[in-house]
Amino acid sequence: MSDCNHDCASCAQNCGERTEPQSLLVRPNPHARVGKVIAVCSGKGGVGKSMVTALLASAAQKKGLRAGVLDADITGPSIPKMFGVHERAKGDQSGVYPVPSAGGVQLMSLNLLLDNETDPVIWRGPLITGTVKQFWSEVIWDDVDMLFVDMPPGTGDVTLTVFQSLPVDGIVFVTTPQELVGMIVQKAVKMAQMMNLPLAALVENMSYFVCPDCGKEHEIFGPSRAGQTAQTFHIPAVARLPLNADISAAADRGGVEGLSLPQLEPVLAVLENIKK
């Protein structure tokens, strides 16, 4: 056709030159077995994305599920430290093996491949996104029921790579009460909607502080917006987590698996009920 612009995605004609869009999904390691893939993301940094990822993975493992964490925050990996894991990952001709935590959560992070975990990763985008794909295609995930992907902040290269290259079954968004944070998190929510990915849950971190003297809850970062945001975007599960020094202290000493937050139970219930 002389007037063809070769943009088949926007054309309804059934001509001989038509080509269907190819899937961008990356095949997993042939020796790996992974059930559901859950992305934990936010448009904003510093909201506790990695903490929520670690808490959800730990909670899933305690419920009898086999959990794993793919640390896609390549330049700012913090997952191994939260779990108290400092050994290096090993591999053979079949692939790379995730490192198990004390509780059995399977972990893969760039910090498990570095000689020194405080060495900076000074890489450009293509190398970073390529590593994220390799964590999926070359790692031998051992019968993982629920693989949590800890995402970097923003809606850039890595987020797009995970959303397009991994078979994401659900997304957990992490936010805090501040209006500015909520505005930026909505960018990530809208990105997921544009890519037709399922919105599973919204976790509002640092939502309130419980006074140790009187037991009263104080919304020191402003009133909660979690319920309103979830209703606006039809997100089925909502959790509000407290601002608690014991939580951050446990993560600093590698004891995140010793924490138990009942507020996350509705989120985990929704994730368990997601159908492949």
Side-chain angles (χ1 to χ4, degrees), residues 15-272:
C15 67
E17 296 184 25
R18 184 176 183 84
T19 57
E20 297 301 327
Q22 295 183 346
S23 172
L24 297 176
L25 289 176
V26 175
R27 291 185 178 181
N29 185 297
H31 302 285
R33 297 292 182 272
V34 177
K36 299 171 185 175
V37 178
I38 307 298
V40 183
C41 66
S42 172
K44 190 78 173 65
V47 297
K49 218 166 23 286
S50 297
M51 174 65 75
V52 171
T53 302
L55 289 170
L56 285 172
S58 177
Q61 189 76 18
K62 291 175 183 176
K63 287 195 68 174
L65 300 171
R66 294 173 66 88
V69 178
L70 189 162
D71 191 353
D73 194 353
I74 301 299
T75 60
S78 56
I79 288 295
K81 181 175 176 58
M82 289 186 177
F83 282 91
V85 173
H86 302 283
E87 65 183 275
R88 295 189 66 188
K90 298 178 175 63
D92 55 27
Q93 66 275 12
S94 298
V96 181
Y97 295 90
V99 179
S101 69
V105 178
Q106 300 176 40
L107 309 177
M108 179 49 60
S109 170
L110 194 66
N111 258 22
L112 301 176
L113 302 174
L114 298 175
D115 291 329
N116 188 334
E117 62 183 20
T118 60
D119 288 343
V121 180
I122 310 173
W123 292 352
R124 293 190 184 275
L127 190 55
I128 293 174
T129 56
T131 301
V132 172
K133 291 180 183 179
Q134 287 179 300
F135 281 176
W136 172 252
S137 65
E138 298 186 18
V139 173
I140 305 175
W141 299 100
D142 184 15
D143 288 324
V144 170
D145 297 308
M146 202 171 288
L147 180 66
F148 294 90
V149 183
D150 183 28
M151 310 276 277
T155 55
D157 286 351
V158 172
T159 304
L160 184 60
T161 295
V162 170
F163 285 0
Q164 289 183 325
S165 302
L166 272 62
V168 176
D169 297 293
I171 304 176
V172 176
F173 298 95
V174 183
T175 185
T176 58
Q178 296 98 318
E179 186 175 352
L180 174 62
V181 173
M183 178 197 71
I184 298 175
V185 169
Q186 287 186 35
K187 293 178 181 289
V189 174
K190 291 179 179 179
M191 177 183 182
Q193 285 183 319
M194 291 170 65
M195 300 183 71
N196 296 316
L197 293 174
L199 316 181
L202 178 71
V203 177
E204 186 176 74
N205 197 22
M206 298 177 275
S207 184
Y208 56 91
F209 171 76
V210 179
C211 176
D213 296 324
C214 67
K216 184 178 179 181
E217 293 184 5
H218 299 273
E219 296 179 321
I220 60 177
F221 291 129
S224 173
R225 295 177 173 83
Q228 180 182 352
T229 302
Q231 184 176 10
T232 299
F233 293 101
H234 307 289
I235 301 174
V238 179
R240 297 176 63 208
L241 303 185
L243 178 65
N244 189 323
D246 292 338
I247 296 176
S248 58
D252 284 344
R253 64 173 181 268
V256 71
E257 289 177 293
L259 297 170
S260 180
L261 274 72
Q263 296 93 334
L264 288 175
E265 290 179 4
V267 174
L268 196 56
V270 167
L271 298 181
E272 286 185 273

